[in-house]
Amino acid sequence: MAEGRCDVRAFIRRLKDRIALNRRTFILYSVLRGLVLLTLIRCIMTQRWEGVALCVLSLVLFLIPPLIEDRAQIDIPPLFQGIIYAFIFAAEILGEIDHYYELVPGWDTVLHTLNGFLCAAIGFSLVDLLNRSSKKINLSPIYVTLVAFCFSMTVGVLWEFVEFGFDSFLGTDMQKDTFITSISSVSLDPQQAGNRIHINDIATTTITTASGQTTTINGYLDIGLIDTMKDLLVNFVGAVTFSVVGYWHLRRHENGNWAEGLHVRPIPPDQFEEEQQQIDAMERKRASRWRRGK
């Protein structure tokens, strides 16, 4: 059992060493990881166990990029990794635990837009990797771009399924509700003839439970629909933005611009072997310091 724990710790240390191959990325990772650990301690002290789970999830998600790099032998550019780390921290720690979704107007909108942008970049890179590594497949730039766009929108739709599932079965409120002042519905037609009934300038709505308890709200409460459609719309905007940039980048074979920093590429075997040797050297240096300290 102890040996298994040591193997897990060694595996995690090796992933951290892979992050450390780029100094700037490692500094950002270390700062955000430290902030997550401080938040974890705060949640434990205040007995916010849902927050504890989100902190642990964030720490695990931080290790996904180096894990993918190590297993798939691909290079995720430092800019891309940095955006991923910042996105995880902004969504899980600031958004969920510190309630930025409620406190900061547009926080959810910005993150969903960025999610569409990032997922399009991931889809673009995955298809482009396949396109470059296959001798039988030669996809046009427009096809690669289309697949990247569809990949991003699919991820966005699947995430809305996740939010709906959590709200339906666990009683959460991931699909934030919206107060509106007008509605239009055929369900309100007393003749049930399919005629749309419009109600405008709704001032208040009174909700009465079976026990007789009443709650009065200003306007009318839309249960998650407007939030879901808004999230998909801004996901669409983010996906289109990267798709256009990615298309011109691929069409013109541009190098050195910011789009290059979001383009995942395979690591040549000799470079991957060199990186493995650097990681081994870090491990030996760490072990040497530990023996001297002991």
Side-chain angles (χ1 to χ4, degrees), residues 214-250:
T214 61
T215 301
T216 302
I217 59 177
N218 294 324
Y220 182 81
L221 190 64
D222 172 81
I223 309 296
L225 175 61
I226 293 177
D227 178 77
T228 297
M229 297 309 299
K230 180 193 68 178
D231 290 345
L232 291 177
L233 179 61
V234 296
N235 190 102
F236 171 85
V237 171
V240 168
T241 301
F242 184 85
S243 296
V244 171
V245 173
Y247 172 78
W248 287 110
H249 168 71
L250 202 61

PDB file of all heavy atoms in Angstrom, residues 214-250:
ATOM      1  N   THR A 214     -45.967  31.050   0.754  1.00  0.00           N
ATOM      2  CA  THR A 214     -45.927  31.868  -0.454  1.00  0.00           C
ATOM      3  C   THR A 214     -44.610  32.630  -0.551  1.00  0.00           C
ATOM      4  O   THR A 214     -44.024  33.023   0.456  1.00  0.00           O
ATOM      5  CB  THR A 214     -47.095  32.873  -0.483  1.00  0.00           C
ATOM      6  OG1 THR A 214     -46.994  33.751   0.639  1.00  0.00           O
ATOM      7  CG2 THR A 214     -48.435  32.143  -0.464  1.00  0.00           C
ATOM      8  N   THR A 215     -44.155  32.814  -1.791  1.00  0.00           N
ATOM      9  CA  THR A 215     -42.961  33.605  -2.083  1.00  0.00           C
ATOM     10  C   THR A 215     -43.288  34.537  -3.233  1.00  0.00           C
ATOM     11  O   THR A 215     -43.811  34.101  -4.265  1.00  0.00           O
ATOM     12  CB  THR A 215     -41.770  32.705  -2.464  1.00  0.00           C
ATOM     13  OG1 THR A 215     -41.490  31.805  -1.393  1.00  0.00           O
ATOM     14  CG2 THR A 215     -40.527  33.545  -2.744  1.00  0.00           C
ATOM     15  N   THR A 216     -43.018  35.807  -3.059  1.00  0.00           N
ATOM     16  CA  THR A 216     -43.286  36.799  -4.096  1.00  0.00           C
ATOM     17  C   THR A 216     -41.971  37.296  -4.679  1.00  0.00           C
ATOM     18  O   THR A 216     -41.053  37.662  -3.945  1.00  0.00           O
ATOM     19  CB  THR A 216     -44.093  37.978  -3.538  1.00  0.00           C
ATOM     20  OG1 THR A 216     -45.325  37.485  -2.996  1.00  0.00           O
ATOM     21  CG2 THR A 216     -44.394  38.990  -4.637  1.00  0.00           C
ATOM     22  N   ILE A 217     -41.873  37.299  -6.012  1.00  0.00           N
ATOM     23  CA  ILE A 217     -40.664  37.738  -6.690  1.00  0.00           C
ATOM     24  C   ILE A 217     -41.021  38.852  -7.666  1.00  0.00           C
ATOM     25  O   ILE A 217     -42.171  38.983  -8.095  1.00  0.00           O
ATOM     26  CB  ILE A 217     -39.985  36.579  -7.453  1.00  0.00           C
ATOM     27  CG1 ILE A 217     -40.946  35.992  -8.502  1.00  0.00           C
ATOM     28  CG2 ILE A 217     -39.508  35.509  -6.486  1.00  0.00           C
ATOM     29  CD1 ILE A 217     -40.329  34.904  -9.351  1.00  0.00           C
ATOM     30  N   ASN A 218     -40.059  39.651  -7.981  1.00  0.00           N
ATOM     31  CA  ASN A 218     -40.245  40.714  -8.972  1.00  0.00           C
ATOM     32  C   ASN A 218     -40.121  40.143 -10.379  1.00  0.00           C
ATOM     33  O   ASN A 218     -39.101  39.541 -10.716  1.00  0.00           O
ATOM     34  CB  ASN A 218     -39.213  41.824  -8.773  1.00  0.00           C
ATOM     35  CG  ASN A 218     -39.402  42.548  -7.455  1.00  0.00           C
ATOM     36  OD1 ASN A 218     -40.531  42.738  -7.002  1.00  0.00           O
ATOM     37  ND2 ASN A 218     -38.305  42.946  -6.833  1.00  0.00           N
ATOM     38  N   GLY A 219     -41.142  40.319 -11.190  1.00  0.00           N
ATOM     39  CA  GLY A 219     -41.108  39.782 -12.531  1.00  0.00           C
ATOM     40  C   GLY A 219     -41.508  38.318 -12.552  1.00  0.00           C
ATOM     41  O   GLY A 219     -42.235  37.826 -11.678  1.00  0.00           O
ATOM     42  N   TYR A 220     -41.011  37.610 -13.554  1.00  0.00           N
ATOM     43  CA  TYR A 220     -41.302  36.183 -13.735  1.00  0.00           C
ATOM     44  C   TYR A 220     -39.974  35.440 -13.822  1.00  0.00           C
ATOM     45  O   TYR A 220     -39.011  35.938 -14.421  1.00  0.00           O
ATOM     46  CB  TYR A 220     -42.129  35.977 -15.005  1.00  0.00           C
ATOM     47  CG  TYR A 220     -42.517  34.546 -15.262  1.00  0.00           C
ATOM     48  CD1 TYR A 220     -43.595  33.956 -14.622  1.00  0.00           C
ATOM     49  CD2 TYR A 220     -41.786  33.782 -16.169  1.00  0.00           C
ATOM     50  CE1 TYR A 220     -43.951  32.642 -14.862  1.00  0.00           C
ATOM     51  CE2 TYR A 220     -42.136  32.462 -16.434  1.00  0.00           C
ATOM     52  CZ  TYR A 220     -43.222  31.894 -15.777  1.00  0.00           C
ATOM     53  OH  TYR A 220     -43.561  30.589 -16.016  1.00  0.00           O
ATOM     54  N   LEU A 221     -39.900  34.249 -13.238  1.00  0.00           N
ATOM     55  CA  LEU A 221     -38.629  33.522 -13.156  1.00  0.00           C
ATOM     56  C   LEU A 221     -38.488  32.542 -14.314  1.00  0.00           C
ATOM     57  O   LEU A 221     -39.262  31.585 -14.434  1.00  0.00           O
ATOM     58  CB  LEU A 221     -38.545  32.774 -11.815  1.00  0.00           C
ATOM     59  CG  LEU A 221     -37.170  32.166 -11.474  1.00  0.00           C
ATOM     60  CD1 LEU A 221     -36.141  33.277 -11.307  1.00  0.00           C
ATOM     61  CD2 LEU A 221     -37.261  31.337 -10.201  1.00  0.00           C
ATOM     62  N   ASP A 222     -37.502  32.780 -15.158  1.00  0.00           N
ATOM     63  CA  ASP A 222     -37.165  31.832 -16.222  1.00  0.00           C
ATOM     64  C   ASP A 222     -36.165  30.820 -15.665  1.00  0.00           C
ATOM     65  O   ASP A 222     -35.084  31.185 -15.195  1.00  0.00           O
ATOM     66  CB  ASP A 222     -36.537  32.562 -17.414  1.00  0.00           C
ATOM     67  CG  ASP A 222     -35.995  31.598 -18.449  1.00  0.00           C
ATOM     68  OD1 ASP A 222     -36.788  31.096 -19.255  1.00  0.00           O
ATOM     69  OD2 ASP A 222     -34.773  31.338 -18.424  1.00  0.00           O
ATOM     70  N   ILE A 223     -36.518  29.531 -15.700  1.00  0.00           N
ATOM     71  CA  ILE A 223     -35.691  28.490 -15.087  1.00  0.00           C
ATOM     72  C   ILE A 223     -34.621  28.010 -16.059  1.00  0.00           C
ATOM     73  O   ILE A 223     -34.786  27.021 -16.770  1.00  0.00           O
ATOM     74  CB  ILE A 223     -36.554  27.294 -14.613  1.00  0.00           C
ATOM     75  CG1 ILE A 223     -37.709  27.773 -13.767  1.00  0.00           C
ATOM     76  CG2 ILE A 223     -35.697  26.296 -13.848  1.00  0.00           C
ATOM     77  CD1 ILE A 223     -37.282  28.430 -12.463  1.00  0.00           C
ATOM     78  N   GLY A 224     -33.532  28.720 -16.143  1.00  0.00           N
ATOM     79  CA  GLY A 224     -32.342  28.231 -16.822  1.00  0.00           C
ATOM     80  C   GLY A 224     -32.302  28.330 -18.333  1.00  0.00           C
ATOM     81  O   GLY A 224     -31.224  28.216 -18.923  1.00  0.00           O
ATOM     82  N   LEU A 225     -33.457  28.526 -19.002  1.00  0.00           N
ATOM     83  CA  LEU A 225     -33.448  28.477 -20.465  1.00  0.00           C
ATOM     84  C   LEU A 225     -32.634  29.613 -21.067  1.00  0.00           C
ATOM     85  O   LEU A 225     -31.791  29.389 -21.954  1.00  0.00           O
ATOM     86  CB  LEU A 225     -34.886  28.533 -20.999  1.00  0.00           C
ATOM     87  CG  LEU A 225     -35.012  28.602 -22.523  1.00  0.00           C
ATOM     88  CD1 LEU A 225     -34.396  27.370 -23.158  1.00  0.00           C
ATOM     89  CD2 LEU A 225     -36.474  28.750 -22.934  1.00  0.00           C
ATOM     90  N   ILE A 226     -32.864  30.839 -20.610  1.00  0.00           N
ATOM     91  CA  ILE A 226     -32.141  31.985 -21.159  1.00  0.00           C
ATOM     92  C   ILE A 226     -30.647  31.844 -20.892  1.00  0.00           C
ATOM     93  O   ILE A 226     -29.806  32.132 -21.763  1.00  0.00           O
ATOM     94  CB  ILE A 226     -32.685  33.298 -20.569  1.00  0.00           C
ATOM     95  CG1 ILE A 226     -34.123  33.528 -21.049  1.00  0.00           C
ATOM     96  CG2 ILE A 226     -31.794  34.479 -20.943  1.00  0.00           C
ATOM     97  CD1 ILE A 226     -34.773  34.770 -20.474  1.00  0.00           C
ATOM     98  N   ASP A 227     -30.277  31.370 -19.703  1.00  0.00           N
ATOM     99  CA  ASP A 227     -28.861  31.180 -19.374  1.00  0.00           C
ATOM    100  C   ASP A 227     -28.225  30.149 -20.292  1.00  0.00           C
ATOM    101  O   ASP A 227     -27.109  30.348 -20.783  1.00  0.00           O
ATOM    102  CB  ASP A 227     -28.734  30.739 -17.908  1.00  0.00           C
ATOM    103  CG  ASP A 227     -27.296  30.477 -17.507  1.00  0.00           C
ATOM    104  OD1 ASP A 227     -26.552  31.449 -17.274  1.00  0.00           O
ATOM    105  OD2 ASP A 227     -26.901  29.293 -17.432  1.00  0.00           O
ATOM    106  N   THR A 228     -28.934  29.038 -20.544  1.00  0.00           N
ATOM    107  CA  THR A 228     -28.400  27.996 -21.419  1.00  0.00           C
ATOM    108  C   THR A 228     -28.188  28.507 -22.835  1.00  0.00           C
ATOM    109  O   THR A 228     -27.130  28.290 -23.445  1.00  0.00           O
ATOM    110  CB  THR A 228     -29.344  26.784 -21.441  1.00  0.00           C
ATOM    111  OG1 THR A 228     -29.422  26.214 -20.138  1.00  0.00           O
ATOM    112  CG2 THR A 228     -28.850  25.728 -22.422  1.00  0.00           C
ATOM    113  N   MET A 229     -29.189  29.208 -23.382  1.00  0.00           N
ATOM    114  CA  MET A 229     -29.066  29.709 -24.744  1.00  0.00           C
ATOM    115  C   MET A 229     -27.986  30.782 -24.842  1.00  0.00           C
ATOM    116  O   MET A 229     -27.257  30.857 -25.842  1.00  0.00           O
ATOM    117  CB  MET A 229     -30.410  30.259 -25.214  1.00  0.00           C
ATOM    118  CG  MET A 229     -31.507  29.210 -25.287  1.00  0.00           C
ATOM    119  SD  MET A 229     -31.024  27.727 -26.210  1.00  0.00           S
ATOM    120  CE  MET A 229     -30.696  28.406 -27.822  1.00  0.00           C
ATOM    121  N   LYS A 230     -27.864  31.618 -23.805  1.00  0.00           N
ATOM    122  CA  LYS A 230     -26.808  32.638 -23.809  1.00  0.00           C
ATOM    123  C   LYS A 230     -25.433  31.972 -23.786  1.00  0.00           C
ATOM    124  O   LYS A 230     -24.519  32.403 -24.514  1.00  0.00           O
ATOM    125  CB  LYS A 230     -26.966  33.549 -22.602  1.00  0.00           C
ATOM    126  CG  LYS A 230     -25.926  34.646 -22.485  1.00  0.00           C
ATOM    127  CD  LYS A 230     -25.963  35.283 -21.107  1.00  0.00           C
ATOM    128  CE  LYS A 230     -25.477  34.289 -20.052  1.00  0.00           C
ATOM    129  NZ  LYS A 230     -25.442  34.868 -18.704  1.00  0.00           N
ATOM    130  N   ASP A 231     -25.292  30.911 -22.968  1.00  0.00           N
ATOM    131  CA  ASP A 231     -24.009  30.208 -22.897  1.00  0.00           C
ATOM    132  C   ASP A 231     -23.644  29.596 -24.246  1.00  0.00           C
ATOM    133  O   ASP A 231     -22.482  29.661 -24.675  1.00  0.00           O
ATOM    134  CB  ASP A 231     -24.062  29.107 -21.828  1.00  0.00           C
ATOM    135  CG  ASP A 231     -24.120  29.669 -20.420  1.00  0.00           C
ATOM    136  OD1 ASP A 231     -23.840  30.868 -20.242  1.00  0.00           O
ATOM    137  OD2 ASP A 231     -24.460  28.906 -19.488  1.00  0.00           O
ATOM    138  N   LEU A 232     -24.622  28.989 -24.912  1.00  0.00           N
ATOM    139  CA  LEU A 232     -24.347  28.391 -26.220  1.00  0.00           C
ATOM    140  C   LEU A 232     -24.028  29.465 -27.258  1.00  0.00           C
ATOM    141  O   LEU A 232     -23.188  29.252 -28.145  1.00  0.00           O
ATOM    142  CB  LEU A 232     -25.547  27.557 -26.667  1.00  0.00           C
ATOM    143  CG  LEU A 232     -25.808  26.276 -25.874  1.00  0.00           C
ATOM    144  CD1 LEU A 232     -27.072  25.582 -26.367  1.00  0.00           C
ATOM    145  CD2 LEU A 232     -24.617  25.322 -25.979  1.00  0.00           C
ATOM    146  N   LEU A 233     -24.677  30.609 -27.152  1.00  0.00           N
ATOM    147  CA  LEU A 233     -24.424  31.694 -28.100  1.00  0.00           C
ATOM    148  C   LEU A 233     -23.004  32.231 -27.972  1.00  0.00           C
ATOM    149  O   LEU A 233     -22.305  32.402 -28.983  1.00  0.00           O
ATOM    150  CB  LEU A 233     -25.435  32.823 -27.885  1.00  0.00           C
ATOM    151  CG  LEU A 233     -25.273  34.051 -28.789  1.00  0.00           C
ATOM    152  CD1 LEU A 233     -25.434  33.661 -30.253  1.00  0.00           C
ATOM    153  CD2 LEU A 233     -26.275  35.135 -28.415  1.00  0.00           C
ATOM    154  N   VAL A 234     -22.548  32.482 -26.731  1.00  0.00           N
ATOM    155  CA  VAL A 234     -21.194  33.017 -26.568  1.00  0.00           C
ATOM    156  C   VAL A 234     -20.157  31.926 -26.856  1.00  0.00           C
ATOM    157  O   VAL A 234     -19.040  32.233 -27.297  1.00  0.00           O
ATOM    158  CB  VAL A 234     -20.995  33.615 -25.159  1.00  0.00           C
ATOM    159  CG1 VAL A 234     -21.909  34.809 -24.949  1.00  0.00           C
ATOM    160  CG2 VAL A 234     -21.215  32.586 -24.055  1.00  0.00           C
ATOM    161  N   ASN A 235     -20.506  30.645 -26.619  1.00  0.00           N
ATOM    162  CA  ASN A 235     -19.629  29.544 -27.025  1.00  0.00           C
ATOM    163  C   ASN A 235     -19.464  29.566 -28.541  1.00  0.00           C
ATOM    164  O   ASN A 235     -18.360  29.363 -29.068  1.00  0.00           O
ATOM    165  CB  ASN A 235     -20.218  28.213 -26.577  1.00  0.00           C
ATOM    166  CG  ASN A 235     -19.257  27.047 -26.741  1.00  0.00           C
ATOM    167  OD1 ASN A 235     -18.643  26.574 -25.781  1.00  0.00           O
ATOM    168  ND2 ASN A 235     -19.106  26.548 -27.962  1.00  0.00           N
ATOM    169  N   PHE A 236     -20.559  29.834 -29.234  1.00  0.00           N
ATOM    170  CA  PHE A 236     -20.535  29.956 -30.692  1.00  0.00           C
ATOM    171  C   PHE A 236     -19.607  31.088 -31.124  1.00  0.00           C
ATOM    172  O   PHE A 236     -18.817  30.938 -32.063  1.00  0.00           O
ATOM    173  CB  PHE A 236     -21.965  30.194 -31.191  1.00  0.00           C
ATOM    174  CG  PHE A 236     -22.066  30.550 -32.642  1.00  0.00           C
ATOM    175  CD1 PHE A 236     -22.098  29.558 -33.614  1.00  0.00           C
ATOM    176  CD2 PHE A 236     -22.150  31.873 -33.048  1.00  0.00           C
ATOM    177  CE1 PHE A 236     -22.195  29.881 -34.951  1.00  0.00           C
ATOM    178  CE2 PHE A 236     -22.249  32.208 -34.388  1.00  0.00           C
ATOM    179  CZ  PHE A 236     -22.271  31.205 -35.344  1.00  0.00           C
ATOM    180  N   VAL A 237     -19.690  32.223 -30.436  1.00  0.00           N
ATOM    181  CA  VAL A 237     -18.842  33.368 -30.766  1.00  0.00           C
ATOM    182  C   VAL A 237     -17.360  33.007 -30.598  1.00  0.00           C
ATOM    183  O   VAL A 237     -16.521  33.298 -31.454  1.00  0.00           O
ATOM    184  CB  VAL A 237     -19.198  34.584 -29.893  1.00  0.00           C
ATOM    185  CG1 VAL A 237     -18.183  35.709 -30.085  1.00  0.00           C
ATOM    186  CG2 VAL A 237     -20.603  35.080 -30.219  1.00  0.00           C
ATOM    187  N   GLY A 238     -17.030  32.356 -29.462  1.00  0.00           N
ATOM    188  CA  GLY A 238     -15.645  31.950 -29.230  1.00  0.00           C
ATOM    189  C   GLY A 238     -15.160  30.947 -30.261  1.00  0.00           C
ATOM    190  O   GLY A 238     -14.024  31.035 -30.746  1.00  0.00           O
ATOM    191  N   ALA A 239     -16.027  29.986 -30.609  1.00  0.00           N
ATOM    192  CA  ALA A 239     -15.645  28.963 -31.591  1.00  0.00           C
ATOM    193  C   ALA A 239     -15.418  29.580 -32.969  1.00  0.00           C
ATOM    194  O   ALA A 239     -14.461  29.234 -33.669  1.00  0.00           O
ATOM    195  CB  ALA A 239     -16.731  27.888 -31.665  1.00  0.00           C
ATOM    196  N   VAL A 240     -16.298  30.494 -33.366  1.00  0.00           N
ATOM    197  CA  VAL A 240     -16.153  31.148 -34.671  1.00  0.00           C
ATOM    198  C   VAL A 240     -14.878  31.980 -34.708  1.00  0.00           C
ATOM    199  O   VAL A 240     -14.138  31.976 -35.707  1.00  0.00           O
ATOM    200  CB  VAL A 240     -17.384  32.028 -34.973  1.00  0.00           C
ATOM    201  CG1 VAL A 240     -17.112  32.939 -36.175  1.00  0.00           C
ATOM    202  CG2 VAL A 240     -18.599  31.153 -35.252  1.00  0.00           C
ATOM    203  N   THR A 241     -14.597  32.676 -33.605  1.00  0.00           N
ATOM    204  CA  THR A 241     -13.407  33.539 -33.561  1.00  0.00           C
ATOM    205  C   THR A 241     -12.142  32.739 -33.806  1.00  0.00           C
ATOM    206  O   THR A 241     -11.313  33.094 -34.659  1.00  0.00           O
ATOM    207  CB  THR A 241     -13.314  34.262 -32.198  1.00  0.00           C
ATOM    208  OG1 THR A 241     -14.487  35.054 -32.007  1.00  0.00           O
ATOM    209  CG2 THR A 241     -12.077  35.150 -32.148  1.00  0.00           C
ATOM    210  N   PHE A 242     -11.979  31.627 -33.056  1.00  0.00           N
ATOM    211  CA  PHE A 242     -10.756  30.847 -33.277  1.00  0.00           C
ATOM    212  C   PHE A 242     -10.774  30.153 -34.636  1.00  0.00           C
ATOM    213  O   PHE A 242      -9.723  30.011 -35.268  1.00  0.00           O
ATOM    214  CB  PHE A 242     -10.546  29.794 -32.192  1.00  0.00           C
ATOM    215  CG  PHE A 242      -9.254  29.059 -32.367  1.00  0.00           C
ATOM    216  CD1 PHE A 242      -8.074  29.573 -31.852  1.00  0.00           C
ATOM    217  CD2 PHE A 242      -9.190  27.885 -33.103  1.00  0.00           C
ATOM    218  CE1 PHE A 242      -6.864  28.932 -32.057  1.00  0.00           C
ATOM    219  CE2 PHE A 242      -7.985  27.234 -33.309  1.00  0.00           C
ATOM    220  CZ  PHE A 242      -6.820  27.756 -32.786  1.00  0.00           C
ATOM    221  N   SER A 243     -11.943  29.713 -35.091  1.00  0.00           N
ATOM    222  CA  SER A 243     -12.014  29.031 -36.382  1.00  0.00           C
ATOM    223  C   SER A 243     -11.529  29.929 -37.509  1.00  0.00           C
ATOM    224  O   SER A 243     -10.803  29.491 -38.409  1.00  0.00           O
ATOM    225  CB  SER A 243     -13.449  28.563 -36.643  1.00  0.00           C
ATOM    226  OG  SER A 243     -13.851  27.599 -35.683  1.00  0.00           O
ATOM    227  N   VAL A 244     -11.915  31.198 -37.462  1.00  0.00           N
ATOM    228  CA  VAL A 244     -11.470  32.144 -38.495  1.00  0.00           C
ATOM    229  C   VAL A 244      -9.960  32.349 -38.417  1.00  0.00           C
ATOM    230  O   VAL A 244      -9.252  32.298 -39.432  1.00  0.00           O
ATOM    231  CB  VAL A 244     -12.213  33.486 -38.337  1.00  0.00           C
ATOM    232  CG1 VAL A 244     -11.609  34.537 -39.263  1.00  0.00           C
ATOM    233  CG2 VAL A 244     -13.699  33.311 -38.624  1.00  0.00           C
ATOM    234  N   VAL A 245      -9.458  32.563 -37.172  1.00  0.00           N
ATOM    235  CA  VAL A 245      -8.019  32.768 -36.985  1.00  0.00           C
ATOM    236  C   VAL A 245      -7.248  31.513 -37.398  1.00  0.00           C
ATOM    237  O   VAL A 245      -6.222  31.586 -38.087  1.00  0.00           O
ATOM    238  CB  VAL A 245      -7.709  33.137 -35.530  1.00  0.00           C
ATOM    239  CG1 VAL A 245      -6.200  33.191 -35.296  1.00  0.00           C
ATOM    240  CG2 VAL A 245      -8.337  34.483 -35.176  1.00  0.00           C
ATOM    241  N   GLY A 246      -7.745  30.346 -36.971  1.00  0.00           N
ATOM    242  CA  GLY A 246      -7.073  29.090 -37.301  1.00  0.00           C
ATOM    243  C   GLY A 246      -7.058  28.817 -38.793  1.00  0.00           C
ATOM    244  O   GLY A 246      -6.063  28.305 -39.336  1.00  0.00           O
ATOM    245  N   TYR A 247      -8.146  29.184 -39.471  1.00  0.00           N
ATOM    246  CA  TYR A 247      -8.211  28.967 -40.915  1.00  0.00           C
ATOM    247  C   TYR A 247      -7.137  29.781 -41.637  1.00  0.00           C
ATOM    248  O   TYR A 247      -6.397  29.247 -42.479  1.00  0.00           O
ATOM    249  CB  TYR A 247      -9.602  29.347 -41.432  1.00  0.00           C
ATOM    250  CG  TYR A 247      -9.701  29.337 -42.937  1.00  0.00           C
ATOM    251  CD1 TYR A 247      -9.830  28.140 -43.625  1.00  0.00           C
ATOM    252  CD2 TYR A 247      -9.653  30.531 -43.661  1.00  0.00           C
ATOM    253  CE1 TYR A 247      -9.917  28.125 -45.013  1.00  0.00           C
ATOM    254  CE2 TYR A 247      -9.733  30.524 -45.042  1.00  0.00           C
ATOM    255  CZ  TYR A 247      -9.863  29.326 -45.715  1.00  0.00           C
ATOM    256  OH  TYR A 247      -9.937  29.306 -47.088  1.00  0.00           O
ATOM    257  N   TRP A 248      -7.040  31.069 -41.316  1.00  0.00           N
ATOM    258  CA  TRP A 248      -6.041  31.906 -41.982  1.00  0.00           C
ATOM    259  C   TRP A 248      -4.624  31.502 -41.595  1.00  0.00           C
ATOM    260  O   TRP A 248      -3.699  31.579 -42.401  1.00  0.00           O
ATOM    261  CB  TRP A 248      -6.290  33.374 -41.653  1.00  0.00           C
ATOM    262  CG  TRP A 248      -7.485  33.919 -42.364  1.00  0.00           C
ATOM    263  CD1 TRP A 248      -8.683  34.276 -41.826  1.00  0.00           C
ATOM    264  CD2 TRP A 248      -7.612  34.122 -43.774  1.00  0.00           C
ATOM    265  NE1 TRP A 248      -9.550  34.691 -42.792  1.00  0.00           N
ATOM    266  CE2 TRP A 248      -8.921  34.622 -44.012  1.00  0.00           C
ATOM    267  CE3 TRP A 248      -6.762  33.938 -44.857  1.00  0.00           C
ATOM    268  CZ2 TRP A 248      -9.384  34.922 -45.283  1.00  0.00           C
ATOM    269  CZ3 TRP A 248      -7.223  34.250 -46.129  1.00  0.00           C
ATOM    270  CH2 TRP A 248      -8.507  34.739 -46.334  1.00  0.00           C
ATOM    271  N   HIS A 249      -4.457  31.050 -40.349  1.00  0.00           N
ATOM    272  CA  HIS A 249      -3.141  30.573 -39.917  1.00  0.00           C
ATOM    273  C   HIS A 249      -2.719  29.352 -40.734  1.00  0.00           C
ATOM    274  O   HIS A 249      -1.572  29.249 -41.180  1.00  0.00           O
ATOM    275  CB  HIS A 249      -3.202  30.233 -38.428  1.00  0.00           C
ATOM    276  CG  HIS A 249      -2.008  29.479 -37.928  1.00  0.00           C
ATOM    277  ND1 HIS A 249      -0.763  30.050 -37.779  1.00  0.00           N
ATOM    278  CD2 HIS A 249      -1.870  28.183 -37.540  1.00  0.00           C
ATOM    279  CE1 HIS A 249       0.087  29.141 -37.324  1.00  0.00           C
ATOM    280  NE2 HIS A 249      -0.563  28.008 -37.177  1.00  0.00           N
ATOM    281  N   LEU A 250      -3.669  28.423 -40.937  1.00  0.00           N
ATOM    282  CA  LEU A 250      -3.359  27.203 -41.680  1.00  0.00           C
ATOM    283  C   LEU A 250      -3.228  27.498 -43.177  1.00  0.00           C
ATOM    284  O   LEU A 250      -2.369  26.921 -43.860  1.00  0.00           O
ATOM    285  CB  LEU A 250      -4.468  26.177 -41.444  1.00  0.00           C
ATOM    286  CG  LEU A 250      -4.130  24.707 -41.675  1.00  0.00           C
ATOM    287  CD1 LEU A 250      -3.016  24.262 -40.745  1.00  0.00           C
ATOM    288  CD2 LEU A 250      -5.371  23.846 -41.452  1.00  0.00           C
TER     289      LEU A 250
END
